[in-house]
Every structure is written in C-alpha cells, then in structure tokens.
Amino acid sequence: MRSLRAAPSAFKRNIPLLVVCWSLATSVSMTMVTISALTGSMLAEDKSFATLPIMLQWMGTAGATLPVSFFMQRYGRRAGFLLGAALIVIGAALAVNAVYQQSFVLFCLSTPFVGAGIGCNWYYRFAAADVADDDYRSRAISFVLAGGILAAFIAPNVAMWSRDLLAPVVFAGTFVSVAVFSILIMLIVAFIDIPPPPREDLHGGRPFVAIARQPAYRVALLGGIVSYSVMVLMMSVSPLAMMGHGLGFEDVAFVIQWHVLGMYLPSFFTGSLIHRLGTLRVMQVGAMLIVVCILLAISGLTLTHFWVSMFLLGVGWNFLFVGSTTLLTETYTNAERAKAQGVNDLMIFAVTGTATFLSGSLLHQISWTAVGLLALPAVVLVLVSIFWLAAYRRRVAA
C-alpha cells in the first residue's frame, strides 16, 4: 500500500478543505433534521402536516442532483458548491422570515431551497474522488465523509444554543446558524482548487443507457439507494418509537449521537479497508451489518436494543455507501460523469424522500417492527446483488 505521504499534491491540498466543508454541510443537514419537524408543528394548524417541510426538503435535494451534476461538469466543482451554499442561505433567510410571520406556507417554500443546497453538498464525496488517483480514491471519499464526526458535536450544541437566540421568536436563531454555516462554506470553497474537466471531456461518451447496462453501475446504484433509504427510514422514526415506548429525550439524544458516530467514525479506515480487501467485500460487510441491525431492532424495545441497532445501522451505512460510491467511480469516463453521478444521486434521494414519508405512517399505523420488516427485503436484495457481481467478475476474469 502506498503511503499517504506519496499522495498527489492536489490530494493533500484539497482534501483537508473538503473535510471542513463537509463538516459544515453535515451540520446544516443535522440542524435542519433537528428543527424542521418542530418548526412545522409549531406553525401548522393541522399537526398532521408537521413533516411536510421535511418532505419538500428531500424533494429539493432530489430535484437538484441531476442539473447540479451537469452544472459542475461545465463550470467546475467550486462553482457548484458556491451555488449550493447560496441556495441554503436563501432558504434559511426565508425560514427566518416564516418564523417571524408565523407562516407555515412560507416555511414550506423555504425548505426546498435548503434541500437543493444539500443536494449540491453531496458532491463533496465525488470532488474528493476527482483529486485522487486510483490508489487513493476510496480513501479520499472516506476521509471527506469522516468530517461528519465534527458535525455530530457541532450541530446539536449550536442548535440548542441558537434556539432562543432571537427570543421570543423560537428557532429563528437556529435558521440563522444554518445560514452562517453556509457562508463559512463559501469562504473555504474559495481556496479549493479543483479545475474543471478539459473541454473535450464535456461532450461525448456513451449514452446513459449504455452506462446503466454495466453490472457494476447497477449494483453501485442499488447499494447507494438501499443504504441511504433504509438508514433514513429507520433513523427518522426511531426517536418517536423510543419515546412511544417509555424512553426519555436524554435516551433519544444518546442513541442518535451514537448513530451519527457509527455513520462517520469508520470513515477513518473504510477507504483503507476497501484498498486492502476490495470494494465488494466491504459492501458485503456493510449490508450484513444492516441486516443484523434490523433483526436486533425488531427483537426488543429496550434502550440497549435501540442503542446497539442504531450504531450498527450507522456503521453498515458507512461501509455500504462509501463502497457503492467507490464502485460507481469505476463505471464512467470524465465525459460521462455528470449523467452517471447525477442519475445516481437523483435516484438515491428520490427513494429516500419516499422512505421518509412512509416511515411515519408505518410507525403510527402499524408498529416499529413493521418499519424494520419493510427494510429487510431491500437489504437482502442488495446483498445478493453484491455476491452476484463478485461471481460475475470471477467468471469474466476466468
């Protein structure tokens, strides 16, 4: 294994900046998850619409991914990240205004802007791949995602501190903090140097149908969709399930913090594991961990069951998602990356938005067990597809 000291200069110069930007971007996402439903409940006359702003945020994320991918292909990563940060600032400003005016409709108009900005932010992992050669690509992706660990400590504390910052208007200060996070991203992105692809790489390449016919692309896409949607499906309603079965808010905060640590802590070594063991093996371990998580989650309702299962869910997501992202980067040329990456993220966030909408209904109308049982077949499917791709590659090699 080559030493990181031998990494390309662009890698060593840009990766630390991308890590900080991803930390701030994740802080935006976590803060919005923390307060959006609470704000929606506060502003909506019909409390059944409290989660509508979150659904609209996911729609904004899904809708932005494909056009942003082509935008970055033409104008570069830096321009795309600046655009994303600007959209979040606009959305946060509208949210502050909505809280002051006590307008649920205006708040619903604000969250798609934030969602679109978050859609831009997810390309930090592909930007990491852009500055790394084949030997460092998986480690670059995992190093950048490891920045989410900082967000696990930054976002909750900032949300609590800023909640009453503009009292008596509750949550207005928290949306201001979201804007501040994005302004900081703008300042840091100015120092990132990822040149746009050559002009000849902007056109040509295979049509998307030809790219999608590749077994590796289909498995990478399925792995990304399942890892993210199952994670959100279970994470988004676990606090409601915990409190509905007699656990307190302190227990919820404890479990969610361990879940976030599970999501991002392995990133310090996931890339090295992929480099040493292979992408498919790490993806297999990730899918297996999510299966274990689901089985444990539906087997009991104690604090230990929630704590261990949510931590395993985070680790499984990390292995499967980072592995899927790495596998995806092997399936396209520079001329094809906009459509390949854009469709991938569009599908991931579209399905995740649907999962977010379904999770609350499943929990309230059926049970926490139903949430897990819905997720289990999808994870088994992706696990089978990974084993199939490994066997297919062995046959081709033979």
Side-chain angles (χ1 to χ4, degrees):
M1 183 182 302
R2 294 166 61 186
S3 168
L4 289 179
R5 293 182 179 178
S9 59
F11 179 100
K12 293 184 285 189
R13 182 177 62 253
N14 287 301
I15 291 298
L17 297 177
L18 291 171
V19 168
V20 175
C21 286
W22 176 248
S23 299
L24 294 169
T26 308
S27 296
V28 169
S29 301
M30 289 185 62
T31 302
M32 291 298 296
V33 168
T34 302
I35 64 172
S36 290
L38 296 173
T39 305
S41 179
M42 179 181 70
L43 298 179
E45 293 184 7
D46 184 348
K47 304 307 178 186
S48 63
F49 289 99
T51 57
L52 177 61
I54 301 178
M55 178 68 179
L56 293 173
Q57 178 180 311
W58 280 110
M59 290 176 62
T61 300
T65 50
L66 190 57
V68 165
S69 184
F70 282 101
F71 180 86
M72 288 186 177
Q73 175 85 338
R74 185 167 188 82
Y75 299 106
R77 298 291 188 192
R78 181 192 295 173
F81 295 142
L82 289 173
L83 173 63
L87 289 171
I88 293 173
V89 171
I90 293 171
L94 290 173
V96 171
N97 193 23
V99 174
Y100 268 98
Q101 295 187 25
Q102 294 293 290
S103 171
F104 180 70
V105 173
L106 183 56
F107 183 54
C108 288
L109 291 175
S110 72
T111 55
F113 282 95
V114 178
I118 292 173
C120 298
N121 290 341
W122 273 105
Y123 284 94
Y124 281 113
R125 74 193 197 278
F126 289 122
D130 290 346
V131 298
D133 59 22
D134 292 342
D135 286 338
Y136 294 100
R137 186 166 294 135
S138 61
R139 282 173 282 182
I141 294 169
S142 63
F143 285 162
V144 169
L145 290 181
I149 295 174
L150 296 175
F153 298 97
I154 294 172
N157 290 309
V158 171
M160 293 177 62
W161 170 77
S162 60
R163 178 179 180 272
D164 298 313
L165 181 63
L166 300 178
V169 182
V170 181
F171 297 130
T174 309
F175 289 113
V176 171
S177 72
V178 169
V180 171
F181 285 142
S182 297
I183 292 171
L184 290 174
I185 289 175
M186 290 181 179
L187 296 176
I188 297 170
V189 163
F191 295 96
I192 295 177
D193 183 20
I194 304 177
R199 282 292 175 183
E200 59 268 21
D201 286 344
L202 294 177
H203 307 286
R206 296 165 294 174
F208 175 75
V209 173
I211 299 172
R213 286 198 185 107
Q214 299 173 96
Y217 185 89
R218 286 179 285 178
V219 173
L221 176 61
L222 182 62
I225 290 173
V226 170
S227 62
Y228 210 99
S229 59
V230 168
M231 185 269 291
V232 171
L233 178 73
M234 299 190 68
M235 179 192 68
S236 60
V237 295
S238 60
L240 296 175
M242 292 175 67
M243 298 189 74
H245 289 89
L247 298 173
F249 183 76
E250 294 80 5
D251 298 323
V252 172
F254 170 76
V255 169
I256 293 300
Q257 186 174 45
W258 274 93
H259 170 69
V260 175
L261 288 174
M263 288 176 63
Y264 295 115
L265 190 60
S267 292
F268 286 111
F269 54 83
T270 304
S272 296
L273 286 177
I274 291 174
H275 187 78
R276 178 173 298 180
L277 303 177
T279 305
L280 296 184
R281 288 184 181 178
V282 173
M283 291 174 66
Q284 289 166 0
V285 173
M288 290 176 182
L289 285 173
I290 296 177
V291 170
V292 173
C293 148
I294 294 172
L295 295 177
L296 181 61
I298 64 178
S299 66
L301 297 168
T302 67
L303 176 60
T304 301
H305 283 89
F306 281 106
W307 170 36
V308 179
S309 64
M310 288 299 103
F311 178 73
L312 291 178
L313 178 63
V315 177
W317 171 86
N318 183 281
F319 285 175
L320 185 53
F321 189 74
V322 174
S324 298
T325 301
T326 303
L327 181 63
L328 190 82
T329 62
E330 302 171 4
T331 63
Y332 53 80
T333 66
N334 283 337
E336 300 163 352
R337 70 179 186 180
K339 48 193 165 187
Q341 295 173 1
V343 172
N344 177 77
D345 280 13
L346 171 63
M347 294 299 296
I348 288 174
F349 295 118
V351 175
T352 299
T354 304
T356 305
F357 179 76
L358 289 175
S359 60
S361 299
L362 284 170
L363 180 67
H364 289 294
Q365 296 180 16
I366 308 178
S367 66
W368 168 247
T369 302
V371 177
L373 291 177
L374 175 67
L376 187 58
V379 184
V380 172
L381 175 63
V382 76
L383 185 59
V384 170
S385 73
I386 297 168
F387 279 107
W388 171 81
L389 180 60
Y392 171 81
R393 286 183 165 182
R394 287 194 296 269
R395 289 197 303 272
V396 171

